Amino acid sequence: MQDSIFAKIIKGEIPCHKVYEDEHALAFLDIYPSRPGHTLVIPKVQVDHLWDLESADYQALMDACQKVALRLQQALPCERVGAKVIGFDVPHAHVHLIPIRSMDDFEDKGDMQSEPDHAALASMAEKLKFE
Protein backbone atom coordinates (compact mmCIF):
# COMPACT_ATOMS: atom_id res chain seq x y z
CA MET A 1 0.00 0.00 0.00
CA GLN A 2 1.29 3.44 -0.91
CA ASP A 3 1.88 5.81 2.01
CA SER A 4 -1.16 7.95 2.82
CA ILE A 5 -0.78 11.62 3.70
CA PHE A 6 -1.18 10.53 7.33
CA ALA A 7 1.68 8.01 7.02
CA LYS A 8 3.83 10.87 5.67
CA ILE A 9 2.80 13.02 8.65
CA ILE A 10 3.78 10.19 11.04
CA LYS A 11 7.18 9.93 9.33
CA GLY A 12 7.68 13.71 9.60
CA GLU A 13 7.68 14.19 5.83
CA ILE A 14 4.68 16.53 6.06
CA PRO A 15 4.25 18.94 9.00
CA CYS A 16 1.25 18.94 11.30
CA HIS A 17 -0.06 20.82 14.32
CA LYS A 18 0.53 18.03 16.82
CA VAL A 19 -1.51 17.79 20.00
CA TYR A 20 -0.61 14.30 21.29
CA GLU A 21 1.63 11.39 20.40
CA ASP A 22 2.52 8.02 21.89
CA GLU A 23 4.05 4.88 20.41
CA HIS A 24 0.75 3.78 18.83
CA ALA A 25 -1.16 6.95 17.92
CA LEU A 26 -0.80 10.55 16.81
CA ALA A 27 -3.29 13.39 17.25
CA PHE A 28 -3.10 16.63 15.29
CA LEU A 29 -5.39 19.47 14.33
CA ASP A 30 -7.49 19.22 11.19
CA ILE A 31 -6.29 21.96 8.83
CA TYR A 32 -9.92 22.51 7.76
CA PRO A 33 -11.60 22.41 11.17
CA SER A 34 -15.36 22.34 11.47
CA ARG A 35 -14.93 23.83 14.97
CA PRO A 36 -11.87 25.26 16.75
CA GLY A 37 -9.92 22.37 18.22
CA HIS A 38 -11.14 19.80 15.65
CA THR A 39 -8.54 17.06 16.05
CA LEU A 40 -7.70 13.94 14.06
CA VAL A 41 -6.45 10.89 15.96
CA ILE A 42 -4.72 8.26 13.85
CA PRO A 43 -3.05 4.92 14.49
CA LYS A 44 0.60 4.75 13.55
CA VAL A 45 -0.08 1.65 11.48
CA GLN A 46 -1.65 2.39 8.12
CA VAL A 47 -4.93 0.56 7.74
CA ASP A 48 -7.66 1.89 5.44
CA HIS A 49 -10.67 0.83 7.53
CA LEU A 50 -10.87 1.42 11.29
CA TRP A 51 -12.48 -1.98 11.82
CA ASP A 52 -9.53 -3.73 10.18
CA LEU A 53 -7.11 -2.64 12.92
CA GLU A 54 -5.69 -5.39 15.08
CA SER A 55 -7.42 -5.42 18.46
CA ALA A 56 -4.42 -3.99 20.34
CA ASP A 57 -3.98 -1.18 17.78
CA TYR A 58 -7.71 -0.38 17.92
CA GLN A 59 -7.62 -0.23 21.72
CA ALA A 60 -4.51 1.98 21.66
CA LEU A 61 -6.25 4.34 19.23
CA MET A 62 -9.37 4.53 21.43
CA ASP A 63 -7.20 5.15 24.50
CA ALA A 64 -5.55 8.05 22.66
CA CYS A 65 -8.98 9.37 21.60
CA GLN A 66 -10.13 9.35 25.21
CA LYS A 67 -7.03 11.25 26.40
CA VAL A 68 -7.37 13.85 23.65
CA ALA A 69 -11.14 14.25 24.12
CA LEU A 70 -10.67 14.86 27.85
CA ARG A 71 -7.99 17.46 27.04
CA LEU A 72 -10.32 19.17 24.56
CA GLN A 73 -13.07 19.33 27.20
CA GLN A 74 -10.64 20.75 29.73
CA ALA A 75 -9.12 23.39 27.45
CA LEU A 76 -12.04 24.57 25.31
CA PRO A 77 -15.56 25.86 25.94
CA CYS A 78 -17.71 22.94 24.82
CA GLU A 79 -20.54 20.83 26.13
CA ARG A 80 -19.24 17.63 24.56
CA VAL A 81 -16.60 16.25 22.27
CA GLY A 82 -18.19 14.52 19.31
CA ALA A 83 -16.44 11.68 17.52
CA LYS A 84 -16.79 10.86 13.82
CA VAL A 85 -15.37 7.99 11.82
CA ILE A 86 -15.98 8.55 8.13
CA GLY A 87 -12.95 7.34 6.20
CA PHE A 88 -13.55 8.52 2.64
CA ASP A 89 -11.05 11.36 2.47
CA VAL A 90 -7.82 9.56 3.46
CA PRO A 91 -7.16 5.79 3.17
CA HIS A 92 -5.81 5.62 6.73
CA ALA A 93 -8.07 4.91 9.71
CA HIS A 94 -8.77 8.04 11.75
CA VAL A 95 -11.17 9.52 14.26
CA HIS A 96 -12.37 13.13 14.18
CA LEU A 97 -12.77 14.65 17.66
CA ILE A 98 -14.83 17.83 17.53
CA PRO A 99 -15.55 20.14 20.48
CA ILE A 100 -19.27 20.93 20.24
CA ARG A 101 -22.07 22.76 22.00
CA SER A 102 -24.90 21.45 19.82
CA MET A 103 -25.74 19.02 17.02
CA ASP A 104 -25.40 21.91 14.57
CA ASP A 105 -21.74 22.26 15.62
CA PHE A 106 -21.24 18.52 15.08
CA GLU A 107 -22.74 18.60 11.59
CA ASP A 108 -20.82 21.72 10.56
CA LYS A 109 -18.25 21.19 7.79
CA GLY A 110 -14.89 22.89 7.57
CA ASP A 111 -14.14 25.44 4.85
CA MET A 112 -11.97 23.43 2.50
CA GLN A 113 -11.84 26.23 -0.07
CA SER A 114 -9.80 28.67 2.05
CA GLU A 115 -6.13 28.43 2.88
CA PRO A 116 -5.51 26.89 6.30
CA ASP A 117 -4.87 29.46 9.05
CA HIS A 118 -1.60 27.99 10.29
CA ALA A 119 -1.06 30.77 12.86
CA ALA A 120 -4.43 30.01 14.49
CA LEU A 121 -3.76 26.26 14.27
CA ALA A 122 -0.33 26.65 15.88
CA SER A 123 -1.85 28.71 18.69
CA MET A 124 -4.57 26.11 19.25
CA ALA A 125 -2.04 23.25 19.20
CA GLU A 126 -0.01 25.05 21.84
CA LYS A 127 -3.13 25.45 23.98
CA LEU A 128 -4.04 21.75 23.64
CA LYS A 129 -0.70 19.99 23.68
CA PHE A 130 0.13 17.61 26.48
CA GLU A 131 2.98 18.56 28.78
Side-chain angles (χ1 to χ4, degrees):
M1 176 184 291
Q2 185 175 352
D3 279 354
S4 70
I5 189 169
F6 291 166
K8 292 176 182 179
I9 288 171
I10 291 165
K11 291 177 181 180
E13 296 171 4
I14 296 175
C16 71
H17 297 282
K18 187 185 331 182
V19 172
Y20 174 82
E21 182 173 19
D22 64 27
E23 66 223 49
H24 303 286
L26 175 66
F28 53 92
L29 296 175
D30 191 311
I31 62 171
Y32 300 109
S34 58
R35 306 293 307 154
H38 179 169
T39 303
L40 302 175
V41 186
I42 64 172
K44 287 192 172 176
V45 298
Q46 182 173 317
V47 173
D48 188 2
H49 300 275
L50 180 67
W51 316 123
D52 290 338
L53 281 168
E54 295 292 330
S55 182
D57 292 323
Y58 177 83
Q59 189 58 56
L61 178 65
M62 291 300 114
D63 288 346
C65 286
Q66 182 180 33
K67 288 175 187 171
V68 173
L70 291 171
R71 180 72 184 126
L72 290 169
Q73 282 184 315
Q74 176 188 42
L76 300 175
C78 62
E79 294 292 320
R80 302 201 181 272
V81 175
K84 288 184 183 180
V85 175
I86 303 165
F88 286 111
D89 47 347
V90 178
H92 190 126
H94 58 288
V95 177
H96 295 257
L97 297 178
I98 306 166
I100 57 173
R101 289 179 274 187
S102 71
M103 279 303 294
D104 289 340
D105 286 350
F106 188 67
E107 294 168 356
D108 215 4
K109 292 188 166 85
D111 178 8
M112 296 185 75
Q113 303 305 314
S114 299
E115 281 295 311
D117 185 345
H118 288 287
L121 291 166
S123 177
M124 180 63 72
E126 187 63 32
K127 183 176 187 174
L128 296 175
K129 80 176 182 183
F130 288 69
E131 299 301 324

